Amino acid sequence: MTITQTLRHTDAARADWVRACRVDDLEPSWGEAVLLRMRQIALFLLGPREVYAVAHEDPANGAPVMARGIVGSRGDRPTVASPLHKEVYDLGTGDCFTDPSLALHTFRTRIVGGFIEIELESP
């Protein structure tokens, strides 16, 4: 069992769960980047069973930096702020709080046997 986020821009019927890393490989509230199926994905561990996965590319300019973003919250929503331009994104939905024209691609996650898995489009 795990926290599961909204799947954005992905057809769930054509998706597979892909193992990313061990839960113990992540530091709480600190992002790490993984490369899965030629996609750079930023992972954030916010609690023992609360993991978020988003595109590593900054929506504002495409730079691969989101894993180095600043983790925080807006109300009860977990967020990450771009380290470049400081736009703030909801980690669960990808919505941008500071610029509604931007959105961060999000992925569903789950924890199985101590490993984090991410739902990705089938090749």
Side-chain angles (χ1 to χ4, degrees):
M1 294 292 116
T2 185
I3 291 281
T4 303
Q5 290 79 44
T6 303
L7 188 63
R8 176 175 231 150
H9 307 298
T10 302
D11 179 2
R14 300 180 315 114
D16 297 317
W17 289 97
V18 179
R19 184 175 284 184
C21 65
R22 295 181 48 78
V23 174
D24 295 341
D25 292 337
L26 299 181
E27 293 289 327
S29 299
W30 183 259
E32 290 293 341
V34 296
L35 180 64
L36 299 173
R37 292 191 179 159
M38 302 305 293
R39 290 203 68 164
Q40 293 184 40
I41 298 171
L43 292 174
F44 298 91
L45 177 68
L46 300 188
R49 303 204 52 82
E50 185 179 6
V51 177
Y52 293 88
V54 299
H56 188 43
E57 296 82 19
D58 186 320
N61 61 17
V65 297
M66 293 310 291
R68 295 296 163 248
I70 301 163
V71 175
S73 63
R74 290 273 174 112
D76 65 347
R77 300 301 307 161
T79 62
V80 63
S82 166
L84 296 178
H85 301 286
K86 308 302 183 247
E87 289 94 355
V88 179
Y89 298 91
D90 184 306
L91 280 170
T93 66
D95 294 334
C96 184
F97 288 103
T98 52
D99 183 348
S101 70
L102 297 173
L104 183 61
H105 187 99
T106 62
F107 302 88
R108 291 192 333 158
T109 64
R110 67 183 183 187
I111 298 173
V112 177
F115 287 90
I116 296 168
E117 294 182 350
I118 300 171
E119 191 172 36
L120 295 176
E121 300 92 357
S122 297

